[in-house]
Amino acid sequence: SDVYKRQIIKLGKDIISKMATDKYTVHYFNIYGKAEAIRIAFWLSKVEYNDNRMTREQFAELKASGKLPFGQVPAIEKNGKFQAQSTPIVRQICQTHNLYPTDPEQVYHVEVATEILNDIRQSFIKVWYSPPEQKEEAMKKYFCLLYTSDAADDLLCVDLGGRRIIKK
C-alpha cells in the first residue's frame, strides 16, 4: 500500500512538473503591438502563459542565440521550441482551443477580418514612422476611409467606455 502511495505521489509530481514546463511564453517588448493579439487569444482560451516583456538588450541576446525563427518577435515558446509570426500563432491558438470556426464560409469571414486588421495595422505603422511634418498628410492618405463622419461612426460603432468597436 505504501509503495502504491509513493508511486501515485511521484506520478502526481511528474504531471505537475510536466504541466509547468508545458506553459507557453510570449516573447515581445513591453508594448501591446503585434503580441497583444496573442495575449488576447491565450486569455480567451483560458491558457496560462508567461509574458516575457523584453528590453532591446534582452531581445538582442535572444536574437543572437539563434532561437527566434526569422530573428523576430513576437514569438511564443513551449518546451524550448519557438514559433514566430503573430497571425499564424493566433490562428493556431484559436484552432487548438476551439475558438476558430470549422465551417468554410465562417473561416472565410474570419480570414477577411484578419486581413483587414493587418491592412489597418500596416497603415498605422506607415503613419507612426512618417516624419513629424508629414504625419497629418499620412493620416489623410492612409486613414481617410476609416472615419468619414461622426454620423457614419455612430451607425457603425458601439462606444464601450472610450473604446469603439464595429457593430455586428
Side-chain angles (χ1 to χ4, degrees):
S1 176
D2 285 341
V3 174
Y4 290 121
K5 284 180 184 176
R6 283 194 296 271
Q7 288 177 337
I8 291 171
I9 290 170
K10 183 184 180 320
L11 179 63
K13 287 180 180 179
D14 289 347
I15 290 170
I16 290 169
S17 174
K18 174 100 171 101
M19 287 169 57
T21 60
D22 281 350
K23 197 172 191 180
Y24 286 96
T25 299
V26 176
H27 297 277
Y28 200 59
F29 304 106
N30 192 21
I31 60 173
Y32 295 123
K34 289 186 171 187
E36 195 62 12
I38 297 168
R39 294 178 186 121
I40 291 169
F42 278 136
W43 176 76
L44 288 171
S45 302
K46 296 178 176 52
V47 173
E48 290 187 30
Y49 65 96
N50 298 311
D51 196 5
N52 180 24
R53 295 184 182 235
M54 303 178 289
T55 63
R56 293 274 175 202
E57 294 78 20
Q58 292 168 324
F59 167 68
E61 288 175 26
L62 186 58
K63 184 176 180 177
S65 75
K67 294 179 180 178
L68 292 174
F70 317 112
Q72 65 188 31
V73 291
I76 61 170
E77 175 188 5
K78 184 176 180 184
N79 298 329
K81 181 181 175 188
F82 284 76
Q83 294 177 316
Q85 295 294 330
S86 58
T87 301
I89 289 170
V90 170
R91 189 178 294 120
Q92 178 187 19
I93 293 166
C94 292
Q95 287 172 338
T96 302
H97 298 283
N98 299 316
L99 294 176
Y100 200 83
T102 55
D103 175 65
E105 183 73 19
Q106 291 177 346
V107 169
Y108 168 78
H109 291 293
V110 167
E111 293 299 319
V112 166
T114 300
E115 291 307 313
I116 289 170
L117 291 173
N118 284 336
D119 291 346
I120 292 169
R121 181 173 47 204
Q122 288 304 316
S123 294
F124 176 78
I125 289 168
K126 289 175 185 176
V127 171
W128 182 264
Y129 289 104
S130 294
E133 64 278 2
Q134 296 175 3
K135 283 207 189 289
E136 187 173 337
E137 190 60 36
M139 283 290 290
K140 290 176 186 173
K141 179 178 180 181
Y142 295 112
F143 289 106
C144 64
L145 298 178
L146 288 181
Y147 291 102
T148 56
S149 72
D150 288 340
D153 188 46
D154 289 340
L155 288 172
L156 297 173
C157 298
V158 176
D159 191 348
L160 296 175
R163 284 191 163 170
R164 296 181 72 76
I165 62 167
I166 296 173
K167 291 180 183 177
K168 267 188 162 182

